[in-house]
Amino acid sequence: MNQGDVDMRLRGCAWWIGAAMLSLIAQNTLAIDDDQLPPIMPVDDVRVGMKGYGLTVFAGTKIEPFPVEVISVMRSSFVITPPRGAMIWITCTDPRMLESGAVQGFSGSPIYLWDDGDPNDLGKDGRLIGAFATGYKWSKGCLAGVTPIQQMRSGARRAPDELNEQQAASRHGGPSSAAPLIRAVLDLANAQRLPDDATWRARSILQLMPDANDEHVPYGRVSSRHAMPAADIDESVVASPSMMPVPAGSPYVARLLAPLLEPWGLTPLAAPGVSIGSPPPDIDPDKLEFQPGSVLSLPLLLGDLEAAASGTVTEVWPDGRILALGHEIFAAGHAEMPMATGYAHFVVPSQLMSFRLAGSVQIRGTVVRDEFSGVVGMPVEQYRLSPMIIGVKMLHHPQRKYNFQLVHHRDLAPIYAVYAAMLCVQDVQALPVDNTLHMTGTLRFPEDRQIPIDRLAPQSSLANIILELLPPISAMINNPHEIAMLESMDLNLSVQPHRTDARLVDAHIDQVRVRPGQSVDITAYIQRYGEPTRAHHINVPLPANLPEGQYEVWVLDARRYGELRQTTRPHRMRTNNIDELHQRIVDIVSVRDNALYVAIPKIQPALAVGRQELPQLPSSRRKVLVTPTVTDVQPYVELIEHRIDLDFVPQGEAHFQITVKKHPSAS
């Protein structure tokens, strides 16, 4: 897709309403009352046995009716304002739905019931009762719960408040934590049996979060309606809002994304073709409008490849307000997600849970309200996008470059930034069995904060991309200090069809007794994959003022060196503001893989006050600071450090002891 196509789909036609008109829209929407809207059937008028129809799209853009019958009306007894908490249960007797059962993607399909005396013509007459919203897994036939339209309209009347941009800015919420998502990523890495060398950066960034070790903090939307059932409860007997299907490319990508997206009510589907962003040629984007029963697409990633969740429009108000889904996306109240007209490829019947594959056509506004009863969209441009450029170089293929726009969302943006990279690297073929993935690029955040990416990963899988990109992005967005959304990402992925890993077989030190200012000479024996062992000579100069004593000498790979820095300088793992957090993340991700590190801990502990290091304090000053009356003082260990850059990735460690004396021959 070229940039012109992207701009067309982002901007649509002349219907866009500028920010200067938002207050006028708010005034007009506040004036809408029930007399201006189609008639509805209140929950109290619904009776078991009443019949009617629903509207939805089975394929393409054609809205089709399907017959329904009410089998139960449930009213909650503990809510304050009826009909909150009510649910109308229906059966759908259309042959297609008897085969498929409740379909993910049909959420929001409007349901109408006939009054006595209506001719009962399918698709005609009747009063709107609500939106197709929920169902059971594994159920036979088609049993669905309907969210009453009264609840949905109540949320729609709150939508104009979201048009005040200054108020909206405060609704993004306060500081949060990336810890639950990073833990989910590490669980994924564990399931993929990735080694510690692949996960140490993610584990280190996790430790920057105050709740790093609190595994009771749930990942995903915290809602009793979406909470996972207890381990001893069969999910097939738990009714929950219909998940929203999202194309995810290959089956492997879908499996990787499932534990990250399903807690948010999104089902990744293995559907390679539907990730392509252009609609079928027989669809005129400018003529396709939102209607009750039409496809509602919620793009999360736009550009050369697309990812979008999909549902169905329930009701369209005269001012262009859209009511949809009949259940929440995140139930966060305020929302800023683009909404687009859409089309359906087809419905996939499944014994577990059927789903509809759909795609976007043209963005027509913003979802501004997200409640348990559904979402509300308005014809305004109040979402934000971040550009991403991803280049891919693979043997026997020309270099490729992809352009994307990433939707701003605190929880989903990190996932879909990684999703884009995974799709690009395997757009043409899978990674070779023997490979080295070289990731380079820059992540940019507000106020010119940048995180460089330079990762050399032998024997990589797509999970390695998740581990390297998602934790730093998520930590900058969700942290105890402030929200720093990803503003842009430039990434290059170079795939080499050979391994660059190596093993530190052995090492020895030439002299164990040295003087201050002298060099420590080390010979490291390293065996690259498929090659014989070779000697590498390392020369580490010692400071001239190094005190006499016994010293440990460590020869380390990247992971062990990074972990040693973390344990010897624990004060750096506490951050007081976003700039300190940013710098610490940069420190972690900047440790080169293709290097050996020599680290010699100094024997005299230093002190840090907060994050300020005081390495050479006189003993009198140390005594003053190390007292119960002085807080935030912590000892740390200084390291004499030396890095040896290599063109391969070594793994392993070696350890020695040396004696430093000014006159070693005299002892």
Side-chain angles (χ1 to χ4, degrees):
M1 180 185 297
N2 60 42
Q3 189 61 43
D5 293 333
V6 174
D7 291 341
M8 181 278 292
R9 298 188 63 204
L10 291 178
R11 299 295 174 182
C13 302
W15 62 268
W16 271 119
I17 301 172
M21 298 182 65
L22 294 181
S23 61
L24 178 60
I25 296 173
Q27 294 173 8
N28 290 339
T29 55
L30 288 173
I32 291 179
D33 55 35
D34 289 340
D35 293 339
Q36 297 172 269
L37 300 174
I40 67 171
M41 182 177 291
V43 174
D44 289 340
D45 293 351
V46 178
R47 298 289 183 268
V48 173
M50 296 183 77
K51 295 183 179 181
Y53 61 92
L55 296 176
T56 200
V57 174
F58 288 87
T61 59
K62 181 182 178 181
I63 299 172
E64 300 183 58
F66 56 89
V68 304
E69 180 177 344
V70 177
I71 62 170
S72 181
V73 181
M74 296 181 179
R75 296 174 178 84
S76 176
S77 60
F78 59 85
V79 293
I80 299 173
T81 308
R84 286 179 57 201
M87 182 67 70
I88 303 165
W89 287 92
I90 61 172
T91 57
C92 309
T93 56
D94 186 287
R96 293 168 293 185
M97 300 185 74
L98 288 175
E99 178 185 4
S100 66
V103 177
Q104 293 180 0
F106 280 13
S107 294
S109 298
I111 306 298
Y112 302 84
L113 294 181
W114 292 305
D115 288 293
D116 292 339
D118 284 344
N120 291 15
D121 289 338
L122 193 64
K124 297 180 180 179
D125 301 319
R127 287 188 287 164
L128 179 64
I129 65 166
F132 186 111
T134 189
Y136 289 90
K137 292 182 178 180
W138 299 103
S139 64
K140 294 182 178 180
C142 184
L143 175 66
V146 176
T147 299
I149 188 62
Q150 293 155 281
Q151 298 170 212
M152 299 179 69
R153 284 185 175 181
S154 176
R157 296 194 183 283
R158 286 185 282 274
D161 295 337
E162 306 297 341
L163 299 182
N164 184 317
E165 291 188 350
Q166 291 182 345
Q167 293 180 14
S170 66
R171 292 194 182 97
H172 290 292
S176 61
S177 175
L181 176 55
I182 298 177
R183 277 197 295 269
V185 169
L186 290 170
D187 289 342
L188 173 64
N190 184 57
Q192 296 285 313
R193 298 183 179 180
L194 295 184
D196 290 345
D197 299 278
T199 62
W200 76 267
R201 290 180 178 86
R203 287 186 279 107
S204 297
I205 293 174
L206 173 62
Q207 292 304 312
L208 297 173
M209 299 293 111
D211 57 343
N213 300 314
D214 185 359
E215 297 186 1
H216 294 93
V217 178
Y219 170 62
R221 52 187 176 189
V222 183
S223 160
S224 60
R225 287 159 41 106
H226 288 85
M228 292 298 293
D232 58 346
I233 296 179
D234 185 351
E235 283 190 66
S236 64
V237 301
V238 178
S240 62
S242 295
M243 303 280 277
M244 299 179 66
V246 182
S250 71
Y252 180 51
V253 173
R255 286 196 299 271
L256 289 177
L257 290 178
L260 306 181
L261 291 179
E262 287 181 351
W264 296 107
L266 303 175
T267 302
L269 304 175
V274 298
S275 293
I276 304 302
S278 299
D282 59 333
I283 295 177
D284 185 342
D286 296 335
K287 292 183 179 179
L288 192 61
E289 302 291 341
F290 287 126
Q291 302 177 61
S294 65
V295 174
L296 172 71
S297 185
L298 301 173
L300 302 165
L301 184 70
L302 295 159
D304 291 329
L305 297 169
E306 179 188 282
S310 65
T312 303
V313 174
T314 306
E315 188 174 46
V316 181
W317 285 18
D319 61 359
R321 233 177 303 188
I322 304 297
L323 285 64
L325 299 189
H327 61 71
E328 73 274 27
I329 306 175
F330 308 108
H334 174 73
E336 288 184 2
M337 294 184 65
M339 64 178 186
T341 51
Y343 63 96
H345 291 274
F346 45 78
V347 171
V348 179
S350 169
Q351 290 183 336
L352 175 60
M353 180 61 79
S354 301
F355 54 87
R356 180 178 68 189
L357 291 177
S360 303
V361 176
Q362 190 178 84
I363 293 180
R364 292 295 184 87
T366 307
V367 171
V368 298
R369 195 74 196 157
D370 177 10
E371 300 185 3
F372 287 127
S373 60
V375 301
V376 184
M378 300 193 71
V380 295
E381 184 180 0
Q382 198 164 309
Y383 57 85
R384 291 169 295 170
L385 303 171
S386 295
M388 299 194 304
I389 300 174
I390 301 176
V392 177
K393 177 61 178 173
M394 192 174 290
L395 187 67
H396 304 310
H397 294 285
Q399 186 161 354
R400 307 187 304 277
K401 183 171 287 188
Y402 302 83
N403 290 275
F404 299 97
Q405 297 282 342
L406 178 69
V407 174
H408 279 208
H409 189 280
R410 292 182 64 171
D411 301 296
L412 295 183
I415 299 172
Y416 276 92
V418 170
Y419 166 80
M422 290 194 296
L423 285 185
C424 291
V425 80
Q426 67 158 25
D427 186 23
V428 176
Q429 70 170 68
L431 294 174
V433 175
D434 287 336
N435 72 75
T436 297
L437 176 62
H438 192 191
M439 290 180 273
T440 58
T442 305
L443 308 175
R444 295 183 178 86
F445 299 88
E447 299 185 20
D448 200 32
R449 300 183 185 101
Q450 299 184 12
I451 296 179
I453 301 296
D454 190 350
R455 175 83 168 93
L456 196 65
Q459 293 303 92
S460 280
S461 68
L462 297 183
N464 290 85
I465 298 177
I466 298 177
L467 281 164
E468 297 306 324
L469 296 180
L470 193 148
I473 296 174
S474 183
M476 288 295 291
I477 297 174
N478 297 298
N479 59 76
H481 311 303
E482 65 181 75
I483 302 170
M485 290 298 300
L486 179 67
E487 290 191 336
S488 69
M489 180 174 84
D490 293 313
L491 185 67
N492 289 293
L493 303 169
S494 177
V495 181
Q496 304 167 21
H498 57 267
R499 296 172 59 163
T500 57
D501 51 320
R503 182 171 62 96
L504 178 59
V505 178
D506 195 9
H508 71 255
I509 193 165
D510 291 350
Q511 287 182 282
V512 296
R513 302 174 69 84
V514 293
R515 294 187 300 272
Q518 190 177 346
S519 293
V520 175
D521 295 317
I522 301 170
T523 302
Y525 296 93
I526 301 175
Q527 183 181 24
R528 295 186 60 171
Y529 178 79
E531 297 183 9
T533 300
R534 291 186 173 89
H536 294 259
H537 300 285
I538 304 170
N539 182 270
V540 183
L542 299 177
N545 61 348
L546 188 66
E548 294 184 331
Q550 298 284 334
Y551 289 84
E552 308 286 330
V553 179
W554 294 92
V555 181
L556 305 168
D557 59 24
R559 171 180 67 86
R560 292 173 173 88
Y561 168 69
E563 292 174 343
L564 178 65
R565 287 205 311 178
Q566 184 174 319
T567 56
T568 55
R569 282 182 159 89
H571 57 283
R572 290 190 177 182
M573 301 306 291
R574 301 194 311 269
T575 61
N576 299 311
N577 53 59
I578 189 67
D579 290 316
E580 291 181 358
L581 175 67
H582 166 250
Q583 185 56 55
R584 185 62 190 122
I585 293 173
V586 170
D587 291 343
I588 292 169
V589 303
S590 296
V591 176
R592 290 173 58 97
D593 301 286
N594 51 328
L596 266 182
Y597 299 85
V598 177
I600 305 175
K602 292 186 177 181
I603 56 177
Q604 178 64 50
L607 290 181
V609 179
R611 286 178 53 86
Q612 180 65 43
E613 296 181 353
L614 307 173
Q616 296 181 342
L617 278 179
S619 58
S620 58
R621 294 282 185 90
R622 288 176 56 86
K623 290 180 181 179
V624 171
L625 289 175
V626 185
T627 63
T629 59
V630 180
T631 61
D632 205 23
V633 175
Q634 187 169 7
Y636 73 95
V637 177
E638 281 191 281
L639 297 176
I640 300 169
E641 303 177 47
H642 186 73
R643 189 181 78 190
I644 306 94
D645 292 335
L646 304 167
D647 59 356
F648 53 87
V649 179
Q651 294 179 357
E653 65 177 304
H655 171 246
F656 312 99
Q657 281 191 337
I658 61 172
T659 300
V660 175
K661 290 185 69 71
K662 292 182 179 179
H663 306 288
S665 59
S667 58

